[in-house]
Amino acid sequence: MYPAKFALLLGVGLLAFLFVVSLYVVWTRIVGLDPTLAQRCANLPRPVRILAALVSGVLLGTASVAAPNVEVGITGLVLLAASTFAALMLFELAQQYELAAN
């Protein structure tokens, strides 16, 4: 395992995560939705938030180590970030439809 490969993939993963979170909050505000998932995560107790950060960090580190090469690792992380953003938007859309139905 090359330390540079791990650092590069970990950096790309962190940037992708920050980009998805920023895009999620900005996009929900642009289209007029309320970022309910972000509010729920912010209201979690501190130990739960720390545990979630540790678990996501371990998963990101494991994915960085398991990637056979840098190109495959970056592609996987970018696809994961894109699918996470799509899942967040679908979740918020479902929440909006549920609120409109009630």
Side-chain angles (χ1 to χ4, degrees), residues 44-78:
L44 289 174
R46 185 178 173 95
V48 175
R49 288 184 297 182
I50 291 172
L51 182 64
L54 286 173
V55 167
S56 63
V58 166
L59 290 174
L60 181 59
T62 303
S64 297
V65 171
N69 57 33
V70 174
E71 292 84 7
V72 170
I74 289 175
T75 303
L77 289 172
V78 170

Side-chain angles (χ1 to χ4, degrees), residues 5-67:
K5 172 191 155 192
F6 178 73
L8 179 65
L9 291 177
L10 194 59
V12 168
L14 290 173
L15 286 174
F17 172 75
L18 290 174
F19 181 73
V20 165
V21 170
S22 301
L23 192 60
Y24 160 67
V25 172
V26 169
W27 185 253
T28 53
R29 294 298 183 178
I30 287 173
V31 297
L33 297 176
D34 197 25
T36 55
L37 190 62
Q39 293 170 353
R40 289 180 189 173
C41 289
N43 290 334
L44 289 174
R46 185 178 173 95
V48 175
R49 288 184 297 182
I50 291 172
L51 182 64
L54 286 173
V55 167
S56 63
V58 166
L59 290 174
L60 181 59
T62 303
S64 297
V65 171

